[in-house]
């Protein structure tokens, strides 16, 4: 149940961010849910491999290269989901940073209800 709720919250975050970021477009709510699922799968499978192979660059940049990896994950989601488009790398970087902030705020509501 918590996984489905996280997917829905991520889909809401994608729709909200796509509504005001100029280079991000989403065609509908089903595409947003599909983007949330694909992002979750890419974060589970591809992101650890990218982190492992780019570990020297991540160490040299003191972890800032992880932002680049997140942007690559967004661009991969753009490639796999037909109703989701991101116009370039810098927009994907901004989208990934804003999505992470937005998700942390939304997910904090889930953890807040758990502690009561």
């Amino acid at each position: 149940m918590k996984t489905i709720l996280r997917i829905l919250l991520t889909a809401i975050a994608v729709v909200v961010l796509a509504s005001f970021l100029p280079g991000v477009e989403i065609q509908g709510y089903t595409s947003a849910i599909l983007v949330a699922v694909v992002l979750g799968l890419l974060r589970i499978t591809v992101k650890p491999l990218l982190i492992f192979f780019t570990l020297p660059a991540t160490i040299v940049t003191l972890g800032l290269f992880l932002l680049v990896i997140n942007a690559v994950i967004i661009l991969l989601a753009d490639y796999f989901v037909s109703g989701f488009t991101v116009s370039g790398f810098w927009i994907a970087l901004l989208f990934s940073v804003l999505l992470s902030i937005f998700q942390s705020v939304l997910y904090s509501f889930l953890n807040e209800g758990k502690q009561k």
Side-chain angles (χ1 to χ4, degrees):
M1 182 67 184
K2 192 172 183 177
T3 305
I4 294 171
L5 194 55
R6 282 181 178 250
I7 288 172
L8 291 176
L9 288 175
T10 302
I12 291 170
V14 167
V15 169
V16 168
L17 289 174
S19 68
F20 72 85
L21 277 179
V24 180
E25 296 179 11
I26 193 91
Q27 288 184 355
Y29 295 112
T30 56
S31 295
I33 292 172
L34 190 59
V35 166
V37 170
V38 168
L39 281 176
L41 291 174
L42 288 173
R43 286 181 183 154
I44 291 171
T45 57
V46 176
K47 188 173 180 177
L49 293 172
L50 289 175
I51 290 173
F52 177 74
F53 288 123
T54 61
L55 192 59
T58 304
I59 292 171
V60 168
T61 61
L62 301 175
L64 289 176
F65 196 75
L66 292 173
L67 295 173
V68 174
I69 291 174
N70 286 337
V72 169
I73 295 294
I74 297 294
L75 290 172
L76 282 172
D78 173 29
Y79 176 76
F80 287 124
V81 179
S82 62
F84 175 64
T85 57
V86 180
S87 64
F89 174 77
W90 295 108
I91 296 295
L93 184 68
L94 180 63
F95 182 78
S96 70
V97 169
L98 292 175
L99 183 65
S100 296
I101 292 169
F102 204 10
Q103 281 179 329
S104 67
V105 169
L106 290 176
Y107 291 171
S108 70
F109 294 129
L110 291 178
N111 292 335
E112 197 173 282
K114 186 179 185 180
Q115 293 175 354
K116 288 183 179 181

